[in-house]
Amino acid sequence: MNGVLAMVLDRPGTPLRVAELPEPTPGPGQVRLHVRACAVCRTDLHIVDGELPEPKLPLVLGHQVVGEVMDGGTRFRPGQLVGVPWLGFTDQTCRYCRSGRENLCLHAQFTGYQRDGGYAELIVADEPYCFPIPAGFDDVAAAPLLCAGMIGFRSLRLAGDAERLGLYGFGASAHIIAQVARFQGRRVFAFTRTGDTAGQQFARELGAEWAGGSDERPPEELDAAIIFAPVGALVPAALRVLARGGVVVCAGIHMTDIPSFPYAWLWEERTIRSVANLTREDGAELLELAPKVPIRPVIEVLPLTKANEALRRLRAGELRGSAVLRVAG
Ligand SMILES: [Zn+2]
Ligand SMILES: [Zn+2]
């Protein structure tokens, strides 16, 4: 094969296709990487399912990319291990960028959505949005930090200084954020699908002091809840277990409709908010913290050509931790 091996989405609702693409060439300010690993995110599934509007098509998915620098750019040395996250470009001129909120940029472009991502042997990325991978993390272990970790970390920040933290949906993001939260001295309460005793056991192994179904009440009120599962009904469910002044943070990019609920459940200064994307500051802070915790992602490795299988297993809730596609190396 002379071209670049990639898994390509031709249109939503169809499986990814094994393809051979021409080599991408880095433009000004861009770096080209040999991809070594790319973690699978629920957002990838939302794009495949047509739940996010107007993806680039055909599209190479994947926004938790770790690769070795080939050429282009000036910030990294050849061979250096570098990560490419979801935030691929911002204009730095709109009102959001100018007020330190580049995650809300009006002209943002996202990796593996509006730009080709890491389900491929090669990727080009805008150098200022890439991250050096911290020492102590290999390609596979670092990949889930690039979105599950970084956007989870932003969600955790927006949960404020909550001591008693609920995590709804104990998957790729929650299993990383539970480790960070414990390191910060918080108490973790994990909620899984009803009857998912294996998921609850997994959460306890990672430091949750209580784990149960999302229809259960934890032994005490919580100060914040982060919802990682794309299920709107979890919003009122989480409100019902929050203490006064507590916050529900919706961490996903897509969620089913939120059912109506009595105002009394929100009363007493409870808050519901969403998290959109990440800033580079969020990413840099998480990567600085990662070796200190140390974050140890639990990973299932599949070859690149098994991307459809990885997505199927994510959809079915069969994954423990994070699925990572091994591309090379
Ligand atoms: Zn993601
Ligand atoms: Zn902007």
Side-chain angles (χ1 to χ4, degrees):
M1 203 178 243
N2 294 320
V4 175
L5 176 69
M7 295 299 289
V8 172
L9 178 70
D10 290 312
R11 60 189 164 82
T14 63
L16 308 184
R17 165 175 63 87
V18 181
E20 200 178 326
L21 302 179
E23 282 202 17
T25 46
Q30 288 192 320
V31 63
R32 177 161 57 174
L33 309 177
H34 264 301
V35 178
R36 296 185 45 149
C38 185
V40 176
C41 178
R42 182 166 293 279
T43 299
D44 302 342
L45 209 49
H46 293 315
I47 294 169
V48 170
D49 290 346
E51 289 164 336
L52 297 185
E54 298 179 7
K56 166 191 179 295
L57 289 175
L59 173 70
V60 179
L61 286 168
H63 56 268
Q64 309 190 79
V65 192
V66 179
E68 270 180 24
V69 172
M70 278 175 75
D71 53 9
T74 54
R75 189 173 151 214
F76 305 111
R77 60 177 195 281
Q80 187 174 351
L81 216 50
V82 163
V84 185
W86 171 245
L87 187 74
F89 169 82
T90 60
D91 59 14
Q92 292 301 303
T93 57
C94 76
R95 64 165 57 233
Y96 301 102
C97 285
R98 284 187 284 111
S99 56
R101 296 179 291 167
E102 64 182 6
N103 61 307
L104 301 178
C105 177
L106 293 171
H107 302 106
Q109 290 186 20
F110 300 106
T111 311
Y113 184 32
Q114 283 119 1
R115 299 174 155 216
D116 279 337
Y119 288 20
E121 289 175 321
L122 294 183
I123 186 173
V124 295
D126 283 28
E127 193 176 40
Y129 297 86
C130 296
F131 295 97
I133 298 302
F137 285 83
D138 67 16
D139 44 13
V140 167
L145 301 180
L146 272 302
C147 180
M150 288 179 181
I151 293 184
F153 183 62
R154 182 173 181 83
S155 307
L156 182 62
R157 286 223 300 216
L158 295 179
D161 58 5
E163 186 206 346
R164 298 167 298 180
L165 178 71
L167 300 176
Y168 283 79
F170 206 84
S173 213
H175 97 281
I176 291 173
I177 291 315
Q179 297 176 47
V180 176
R182 292 291 301 129
F183 174 74
Q184 293 174 333
R186 304 177 197 249
R187 298 167 60 197
V188 174
F189 300 76
F191 298 81
T192 68
R193 296 179 207 208
T194 305
D196 180 8
T197 51
Q200 291 161 16
Q201 176 59 28
F202 181 45
R204 282 188 212 99
E205 286 165 21
L206 289 173
E209 67 178 64
W210 176 90
S214 56
D215 56 345
E216 289 178 51
R217 285 194 83 81
E220 54 189 290
E221 292 183 317
L222 305 179
D223 303 304
I226 305 176
I227 301 181
F228 293 108
V231 181
L234 293 176
V235 173
L239 275 177
R240 299 224 67 191
V241 302
L242 280 194
R244 298 175 178 194
V247 55
V248 176
V249 182
C250 303
I253 194 168
H254 172 82
M255 195 179 238
T256 55
D257 287 354
I258 300 170
S260 71
F261 54 85
Y263 176 63
W265 297 3
L266 185 64
W267 168 243
E268 295 166 335
E269 302 200 342
R270 293 177 183 87
T271 308
I272 303 169
R273 65 164 307 153
S274 67
V275 163
N277 314 316
L278 71 150
T279 65
R280 283 172 281 177
E281 196 185 339
D282 297 322
E285 278 188 33
L286 177 75
L287 292 182
E288 204 201 314
L289 203 54
K292 293 179 187 158
V293 172
I295 299 172
R296 293 286 174 249
V298 174
I299 284 161
E300 295 194 21
V301 180
L302 293 92
L304 174 63
T305 49
K306 291 272 192 269
N308 287 309
E309 170 68 7
L311 291 168
R312 185 198 67 74
R313 298 194 57 205
L314 175 60
R315 186 197 306 282
E318 292 174 7
L319 290 169
R320 187 176 159 88
S322 195
V324 175
L325 302 174
R326 184 187 291 286
V327 181

